[in-house]
């Protein structure tokens, strides 16, 4: 708090902390850009530069997030994208609010993972209950985590009875 008192005095403010335990919070207006926005920007850049379509983006290290000026556009421009196709690893530079003087530059790194759209349960299904088509939704899941006999279309699973209790979000297998 001594540093804050010195800073206040340097700017002509007559302020001193009332106790040494006084807490000061300094805030500024800003717009938060989260991990999902960065993933969308990288996914779009990968699709423009490679023939990969159904993909998910996994970041390595600290998850990207940034705060930018409310006057800056909330755009994310992905530059210098480098992808290693065998491993799926990528690196890039993200420029947030590129056309504004307060633009933020942030390095990104991670992995591109192939996904496939499959049917997943919307709700828990008890053993023996008939699965209706509206009990299912389509979700893009990591291809390397799917079994070969997973049901892709919701219509194919409708009318089947659950052999065991099934959890919401679970995939279904043929048969």
């Amino acid at each position: 708090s001594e540093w804050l008192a010195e800073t206040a005095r340097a700017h002509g403010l007559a302020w001193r902390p009332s106790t040494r335990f006084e807490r000061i919070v300094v805030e500024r207006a800003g717009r938060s850009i989260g991990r999902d926005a960065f993933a969308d920007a990288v996914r779009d850049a990968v699709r423009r530069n490679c023939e990969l379509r159904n993909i998910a983006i996994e970041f390595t290290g600290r998850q990207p997030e940034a705060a930018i000026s409310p006057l800056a556009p909330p755009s994310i421009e992905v530059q210098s994208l480098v992808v290693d196709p065998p491993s799926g690893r990528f690196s890039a530079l993200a420029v947030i609010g590129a056309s504004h003087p307060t633009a933020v530059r942030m390095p990104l790194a991670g992995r591109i993972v192939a996904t496939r759209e499959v049917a997943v349960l919307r709700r828990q299904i008890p053993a023996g209950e008939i699965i209706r088509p509206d009990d299912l939704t389509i979700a893009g899941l990591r291809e390397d985590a799917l079994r070969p006999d997973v049901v892709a279309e919701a219509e194919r699973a409708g009318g089947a009875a659950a052999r065991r209790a099934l959890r919401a979000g679970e995939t279904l297998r043929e048969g």
Side-chain angles (χ1 to χ4, degrees):
S1 66
E2 195 58 41
W3 171 85
L4 195 53
E6 287 297 318
T7 303
R9 187 172 27 262
H11 287 84
L13 299 173
W15 178 86
R16 291 208 60 71
S18 55
T19 72
R20 65 184 183 133
F21 301 108
E22 187 171 359
R23 181 177 163 197
I24 304 299
V25 177
V26 178
E27 294 180 350
R28 70 173 192 172
R31 182 179 303 146
S32 180
I33 308 290
R35 181 213 166 285
D36 291 343
F38 284 99
D40 290 343
V42 171
R43 188 178 304 108
D44 291 344
V46 167
R47 287 179 178 156
R48 280 193 305 275
N49 295 307
C50 304
E51 293 186 21
L52 300 170
R53 292 290 160 240
N54 295 328
I55 57 173
I57 304 299
E58 295 178 347
F59 294 103
T60 54
R62 189 169 170 236
Q63 295 299 305
E65 69 177 282
I68 61 170
S69 165
L71 303 175
S75 63
I76 301 174
E77 184 180 317
V78 176
Q79 300 176 348
S80 308
L81 177 66
V82 176
V83 177
D84 177 42
S87 67
R89 299 215 178 275
F90 74 88
S91 64
L93 177 69
V95 181
I96 306 101
S99 62
H100 196 266
T102 62
V104 176
R105 301 169 78 76
M106 178 181 298
L108 301 174
R111 224 177 97 190
I112 299 165
V113 180
T115 62
R116 192 168 83 193
E117 292 192 341
V118 296
V120 297
L121 291 166
R122 290 180 192 254
R123 65 179 184 91
Q124 184 172 336
I125 306 286
E129 186 173 321
I130 302 296
I131 300 169
R132 301 183 318 264
D134 64 332
D135 288 331
L136 300 162
T137 188
I138 300 297
L141 300 180
R142 288 178 59 137
E143 201 166 276
D144 61 358
L146 296 174
R147 296 175 64 118
D149 60 347
V150 70
V151 174
E153 299 89 26
E155 297 78 31
R156 294 193 64 191
R163 291 185 187 165
R164 60 177 176 79
L166 303 169
R167 298 182 319 259
E170 190 172 343
T171 59
L172 301 175
R173 297 179 11 214
E174 296 286 344

